[in-house]
Amino acid sequence: MGKKYVYLFSEGNAKMRDVLGGKGANLAEMTGLGLPVPQGFTISTEACTQYYADECQINDEIQAQIWEYVAKMEEINGKKFGDKENPLLVSVRSGARASMPGMMDTILNLGLNDEVVEVLTKKSGNPRWAWDCYRRFIQMFSDVVMGVGKKHFERLIDELKEEKGIQHDVDLSAEDLKRLATLFKAEYKEKIGKDFPSDPKEQLLEAIKAVFRSWDNPRANVYRRDNDIPYSWGTAVNVMPMVFGNMGERSGTGVAFTRDPATGEKKLMGEFLINAQGEDVVAGIRTPMPISKMAEIMPDVFEQFKKVCTILENHYRDMQDMEFTIEEGKLYMLQTRNGKRTAKAALKIACDLVDEGMRTEKEALLMIDPRNLDTLLHPQFDEKALKSATPIGRGLAASPGAACGKIVFTARDAKEWNERGEKVILVRLETSPEDIEGMKAAQGILTVRGGMTSHAAVVARGMGTCCVCGCSDIIMDEENKKFTIGGKTYHEGDFISIDGSTGYIYEGIIPTVDASIVGEFSRIMSWADKNRRLSVRTNADTVRDATKAYELGAEGIGLCRTEHMFFDKIEAFREMICSDTVEGRKKALDKILPIQQKDFEGLYEAMQGYPVTIRFLDPPLHEFVPTEEKDIKELAESTGKTVEEIKAIIAGLHEFNPMMGHRGCRLVVTYSEIGEMQTRAVIRAAINTKKRHPDWDVVPEIMIPLVGEAKELTFIRKIVVETAEEEIKAAGIDLKYKVGTMIEIPRAALTADEIAKDAEFFSFGTNDLTQMTFGFSRDDATKFLPEYYDRKILENDPFARLDQTGVGKLVKMAVELGKKTRPDIKLGICGEHGGDPSSIEFCHNLGLTYVSCSPFRVPVARLAAAQAAIRESMQ
Amino acid sequence: MGKKYVYLFSEGNAKMRDVLGGKGANLAEMTGLGLPVPQGFTISTEACTQYYADECQINDEIQAQIWEYVAKMEEINGKKFGDKENPLLVSVRSGARASMPGMMDTILNLGLNDEVVEVLTKKSGNPRWAWDCYRRFIQMFSDVVMGVGKKHFERLIDELKEEKGIQHDVDLSAEDLKRLATLFKAEYKEKIGKDFPSDPKEQLLEAIKAVFRSWDNPRANVYRRDNDIPYSWGTAVNVMPMVFGNMGERSGTGVAFTRDPATGEKKLMGEFLINAQGEDVVAGIRTPMPISKMAEIMPDVFEQFKKVCTILENHYRDMQDMEFTIEEGKLYMLQTRNGKRTAKAALKIACDLVDEGMRTEKEALLMIDPRNLDTLLHPQFDEKALKSATPIGRGLAASPGAACGKIVFTARDAKEWNERGEKVILVRLETSPEDIEGMKAAQGILTVRGGMTSHAAVVARGMGTCCVCGCSDIIMDEENKKFTIGGKTYHEGDFISIDGSTGYIYEGIIPTVDASIVGEFSRIMSWADKNRRLSVRTNADTVRDATKAYELGAEGIGLCRTEHMFFDKIEAFREMICSDTVEGRKKALDKILPIQQKDFEGLYEAMQGYPVTIRFLDPPLHEFVPTEEKDIKELAESTGKTVEEIKAIIAGLHEFNPMMGHRGCRLVVTYSEIGEMQTRAVIRAAINTKKRHPDWDVVPEIMIPLVGEAKELTFIRKIVVETAEEEIKAAGIDLKYKVGTMIEIPRAALTADEIAKDAEFFSFGTNDLTQMTFGFSRDDATKFLPEYYDRKILENDPFARLDQTGVGKLVKMAVELGKKTRPDIKLGICGEHGGDPSSIEFCHNLGLTYVSCSPFRVPVARLAAAQAAIRESMQ
């Protein structure tokens, strides 16, 4: 017997998510719980994988199983495809292990054809409904399965409405809809070159293939990359008998959450539409009613639905996001899943579930996606400024946070304006999956149509972007890139401000203030701190950043870049670069010394006794020389050289591959006086701070970048130690300091045992380590990486998520070799990966001492570190 | 008891080379053999290492041992430092494990002062000799130990000679020399600010320090780097009682070889000077007599010396290079060592020693330095052209080979002219260690003064550079950069040709022909081939190179770069680069296909059935686009684009770090049509060759460059295999081919187990692997590497000698991982290290299948591979 590729809902359960996908597993689980689910089947994710292995064919074995299960479904439901008495209609829906908005969603009413529609008409006595279903199916199948855009069909509807002098779709008669069905089929034939398929089995097979195909569409690939979902997982396909929310006033369809996905408040939330099919709610075409209205309109169904909600929430011990349909007074559950939520809601729900005794603290911590936390730290409008601002309109508060920016009207503009440094608010009638890139680029999103579960709202919440939607007061003129609200017209480029927490829209710029960690956030963080083993530091080189990071819980600075301190005194540094003698260079550096010392004092103060790791100058010198003729002339004057000489010096600094050139510790090997000056600044600053705060534990950590050979570090360490001892002796104070190195050159990782002899700590510079290990110049790789994603050669940006296979192997090797030489060596990471949860887990598992990340990522790292420790303890 | 730092000659032997240095160990060995060696002592290399560890101080423990051994030496010789009756004079000489011309050589006559010179005068009855020794000592000590240049003293001599109307030094009287001694001491005091040291012990300690210091001088460092000698070895110091070759007509000094170092012929060779000290011979100031003259002048001594030579050669079982002094008819041996020799002589000596039963073939193979072999492959003058050429002069045939180039007169000019692409002949009165860089840069060296053992001759032979020396017919005018010979004047920039095998000098350019492997060379190669396990291939991408390599014994092509084949059809390739469509690109590539196919056919023909490894296009596309306005315009015309569009395309191709940019396999990932075209060319060429030569084993190996992730190779392999199968099917022929990859990205080495799934072979591209592992851009690192050498952070250029610690670790890892997946994987190396003997040994030990190197390095690699195997078998 071959592999089982198809499962009845009654054959599965929630634990089979890998095989059945999330949607299929939960339909099975609900079936097991005895909830009202139309009984269909799920084609497994393995069938999808096999489809790709077979070069995009559904093989005979799988087809045979599908037909076998179609027969079973027909028998269970007492209906048959194309039957003259009881014809079966089905929905076909994708469903991967993780919910993926980028994929094909749903085909409804599959199984209809010219005969079946007549049967339905007769059977229901509702020809308008039957023909509406049929024309919707043709439209949806053509669009989703065959790629004939919706607009072609909408044009036909518009033409008919114009001809008949009708305004709304609902005013179309059964006859009109029948005519539309005919027109649609003709349109299909013209575009596809074949008749619209009338055989339900052919329709089904095509729909299944379309779901499989959608796993590999560009939107899905982008989403997967953003969410660390492997391509190899594949998607399942759910085939379910139709129930109809559009059979009249006793029918309807809706979506609901057991808790508020925006705030986390424990109350049934949701929206529904009477006499509609599911797509109408999600697409945001009609603005739906709040779910509470159901209590008035269909009190019995509402009571039943509330019970179902309670059962599901208690069963999954998490907030549920459900889809349902009411067919002539009967409730059907079409989907349930753990609901997506804002970061704020995630925190509240986690705390509430603990308080309700449903989850332990550890479990609750694991329920929060660390990546979303920083959305909570997004700015809010300054309350004072807000008081004097009058809203120009209000929509739904779809995704919290405050944003202001220039108005743009297309996703493309949003992306382009953002790339040139503009902050923009994307204003759309409604959004669609094509808009994703633009939505990412925008500070905020404002839509005219659609509810809290519309595309714009769902996606914005997922991204942590502020969003106001369904603002129907806006009169949109997309073509001319303007809109009118309250009698005033706003054009592309005008500033507006939107508040995703209140739904208010304001004219102009309203100042924002940063958020802080209070309430549930602080509670969750305290749980995280209890559970984590990794220490969390920050990458900061200004007092402002360091102070912010300290507030957010940073336990030290893991990386203070010092290059900006040279830019702050650029004339002196240029003098140094142009000097031919050690004395000349020292004289120039002496001018920089007090400035750096002051900067370091500020950082020690901000960190209040936590360790501060200072990295010596890293970039190549050519980044500091002037390019403008005027500046070159000035430099010539100040150094007493000719313009030609200065130009020759600049030309001499040119490099073919600056990333692998004369930078990092190589600068101190050549110009030891730079290392001497920086050591003096670091140590003097520490001495002063220690004098002011004798109780603080001021232990500067001097970090040498780009070491690739142990002798480099030995050479520089000697300079540092000699200089530091001289300063400490002169101050007559007892000061400890550490000397360590970045591990960011492959050779450093390979020879870490040697390097550890002179390094009291290692800090993994995974940005450069990734560049060199892959041989990817980060600046240049952006040009070809998209093609790597398209061809599935890479699934993630290795600069965002640590490549554990290759780069990680070097890190692991360096950890082991380093500990062999120096068992108590301090190990940290200061590349951008230090703020990425999956990379943090890797660092935890390797036994690193700390991770260091940007200030706003500190809470993310605290939580991720806790999750890593909890997951480890669960193994 | 502490460590022993000082050894009497009678305490050591030849096996103690590590501790005593080569010179000291051999002096000890000769002492043991009962040969006449003045009995002194050796200060060990460990004392030198300790001197550096003590920050350039000779510590008390070592000083105490030195004085203890001075006392022993005084007792053995019956003479004492500063004694009024029997004063001891000594020579102080450096002596590392390996002979190192860059270091301090000798101080003679140490122990002299104002009193001792009077004692010697009285004792010898030869005041002229005594004062000559004294003034020489002051001069040498000032120069070598204290760094007061010779010229200051030579000026004083010249002034005195002018005053006295004297032409030659020998005409100076005892009184004159006494006056010079006084003048010299005054000169010393003026330059140094202290009196010339009169205490022999102070003199000795300073001389020893000078030897230690000379271990770290720039010339020594350069020499070490060129010859793979570790800095950590240190040098020994030999202190030996003086014997005097300058005591009159029954005294003399000389150097000799037991076989001819130029040809290898078995006959006593050498030069000596009557009434002279050793420095006079080596310095090339007086042109010495051939050693055969000794038979006439001092027949007894000559007989004794010949016996010593036989004893030494039989004892060491190798050609010896000896220094000796005759003091009033008594022979003293001052040094013996295995003589340096030309590559030609090395081969002959190795063969002869085997034939004489003194060495086994394996031992003989180990005696030849593979690095010198390629000097044998240097061009010789075309015999026909030579017949019609008349020599303009003749010197000594000091180092074989033929060269022609433009005349330059300074080492600096030689270097500069060479850097801008000129071939030069360096013409000097005599050379000195300061000239090394210029000598390296020259095609050939011509000197006016000095014999076969002069500096120029020794160094040129070592470097394998053609050299004619001692051409006294030349009237030199260095100042005006011209010389006259045979009445005709030659200026800087004029062409001359010199023949280092005959000593003849010619005007103008004489065409040269390549040498070939015959005679002893061929015999040695056949022994090497019997003993080696590594196969040797060549890096070649033209028929000319491939044919040459085949002649030199290459067993296939390990790396055929294909970029030049794109340059050969650059217009078509530029069209491809500028095309927006796949079709457009294919059309352009179709024009390149037949050209590449033809090129590949040529290579298969040249290799006559040996494997040919073809690497797909590697460099980034921006290397192919035009830079000249004219060419851009042409390209615009031919592609139908505007000049602005072409410029935009070119600008779009710019990269910040091209080394880590869009190149190698990344090109085929983006433009699979390039891979397709190259596959077609490779396979079609193989099919045609196979049709012509059905008996040949034509198996093309397609090599994908710059793979860093297994899926890159999987993706490209699919394209290659599909295209190849299509071509093979169409041809209806049975053709095998292999697909493999370069391992040149660190990540490839780290994930070699995955990569081996789709790679039938690995070829280590150690050039790029070194770049990425070190994070050194080869083009940029040249600017700072000299400082790395100065500071002893690196001792070798990692691009010339494989860094076994770091890069080697990756190679080792890749070998192990690759074999784990595919036990029969073919493993090769095609970086420049493939021709470096120490790297070849490393490859042998790792179990690689082959090394690939430039054609002229093939014999080097064959020998090095054999040596590696022999050394392994000896363990």
Side-chain angles (χ1 to χ4, degrees), chain B residues 207-411:
Chain B
I208 293 168
K209 279 191 211 160
V211 173
F212 287 160
R213 272 202 307 276
S214 75
W215 177 250
D216 196 20
N217 74 29
R219 283 198 313 277
N221 283 320
V222 166
Y223 186 87
R224 263 198 299 279
R225 205 154 58 242
D226 289 347
N227 291 276
D228 290 346
I229 300 174
Y231 175 69
S232 61
W233 279 3
T235 181
V237 185
N238 299 291
V239 179
M240 182 158 54
M242 282 300 298
V243 285
F244 299 95
N246 58 344
M247 288 194 86
E249 295 307 307
R250 290 181 58 235
S251 301
T253 188
V255 299
F257 295 89
T258 57
R259 296 175 194 236
D260 186 331
T263 66
E265 197 187 338
K266 187 171 183 178
K267 64 167 187 191
L268 188 60
M269 284 273 304
E271 292 164 329
F272 87 127
L273 278 170
I274 292 291
N275 195 12
Q277 280 203 331
E279 49 166 349
D280 302 333
V281 184
V282 180
I285 293 166
R286 281 160 62 188
T287 302
M289 284 181 270
I291 197 118
S292 52
K293 281 268 181 189
M294 252 179 96
E296 300 165 26
I297 300 169
M298 324 178 159
D300 294 354
V301 179
F302 186 62
E303 276 313 305
Q304 188 195 351
F305 180 66
K306 280 206 298 186
K307 273 183 202 153
V308 169
C309 289
T310 308
I311 290 168
L312 286 173
E313 194 181 90
N314 288 340
H315 183 72
Y316 286 102
R317 297 187 298 144
D318 198 356
M319 181 264 271
Q320 294 300 295
D321 165 7
M322 300 151 299
E323 291 182 20
F324 62 95
T325 283
I326 300 150
E327 189 185 85
E328 303 200 311
K330 181 163 167 33
L331 174 72
Y332 291 95
M333 295 304 295
L334 305 187
Q335 167 164 331
T336 191
R337 59 181 172 189
N338 294 340
K340 287 202 187 299
R341 61 205 76 177
T342 62
K344 195 179 159 194
L347 298 180
K348 178 160 171 54
I349 292 170
C351 288
D352 287 353
L353 290 176
V354 168
D355 293 340
E356 293 162 23
M358 283 170 77
R359 292 279 187 181
T360 65
E361 284 177 10
K362 285 184 184 185
E363 283 173 345
L365 283 173
L366 290 178
M367 290 172 71
I368 303 164
D369 185 345
R371 287 175 302 180
N372 292 339
L373 280 192
D374 65 351
T375 63
L376 289 180
L377 303 161
H378 282 174
Q380 301 289 327
F381 289 130
D382 175 63
E383 291 209 31
K384 256 193 238 154
L386 208 54
K387 267 181 196 151
S388 59
T390 315
I392 54 172
R394 188 175 189 180
L396 302 172
S399 180
C404 71
K406 291 179 175 173
I407 296 167
V408 292
F409 288 92
T410 70

Side-chain angles (χ1 to χ4, degrees), chain B residues 655-772:
Chain B
E655 293 187 310
F656 296 97
N657 295 286
M659 185 56 58
M660 306 163 84
H662 194 184
R663 50 176 284 244
C665 72
R666 299 164 194 172
L667 293 171
V668 182
V669 168
T670 321
Y671 304 111
S672 55
E673 48 278 8
I674 298 178
E676 226 179 282
M677 181 280 281
Q678 291 206 284
T679 305
R680 248 177 253 289
V682 167
I683 298 294
R684 285 187 191 171
I687 288 168
N688 282 356
T689 311
K690 181 114 186 170
K691 280 183 182 160
R692 272 196 303 274
H693 307 282
D695 51 322
W696 284 3
D697 202 14
V698 184
V699 181
E701 303 186 347
I702 290 175
M703 180 155 77
I704 312 301
L706 219 72
V707 164
E709 154 60 45
K711 287 180 189 153
E712 287 175 318
L713 184 60
T714 309
F715 178 83
I716 295 169
R717 189 194 168 89
K718 193 159 173 260
I719 294 166
V720 169
V721 169
E722 278 172 8
T723 310
E725 294 303 330
E726 196 183 303
E727 291 292 333
I728 292 168
K729 208 174 148 191
I733 200 167
D734 185 31
L735 182 83
K736 289 206 170 54
Y737 60 95
K738 288 191 162 71
V739 183
T741 182
M742 304 271 288
I743 301 286
E744 53 187 337
I745 297 273
R747 197 175 184 279
L750 292 163
T751 61
D753 45 351
E754 284 300 315
I755 290 173
K757 289 183 185 161
D758 273 317
E760 286 157 272
F761 62 88
F762 285 169
S763 180
F764 291 96
T766 46
N767 296 351
D768 271 6
L769 193 59
T770 300
Q771 292 200 92
M772 316 260 181

Side-chain angles (χ1 to χ4, degrees), chain A residues 252 283 598 627 810:
Chain A
K598 198 163 147 280
T627 51
L810 280 179

Side-chain angles (χ1 to χ4, degrees), chain A residues 77 279 283 357 460 506 595 650:
Chain A
N77 292 279
E279 49 165 350
Y506 305 88
I595 313 289
I650 294 173

Side-chain angles (χ1 to χ4, degrees), chain B residues 784-823:
Chain B
F784 58 81
L785 280 181
E787 265 139 339
Y788 269 65
Y789 302 141
D790 284 354
R791 286 156 179 68
K792 312 282 169 336
I793 293 171
L794 289 180
E795 295 195 45
N796 298 102
D797 177 356
F799 295 106
R801 186 186 178 183
L802 188 73
D803 158 51
Q804 300 185 6
T805 319
V807 180
K809 197 167 187 176
L810 279 179
V811 173
K812 190 159 180 281
M813 198 180 293
V815 166
E816 287 165 5
L817 290 172
K819 283 188 173 173
K820 211 170 82 181
T821 298
R822 193 188 283 265

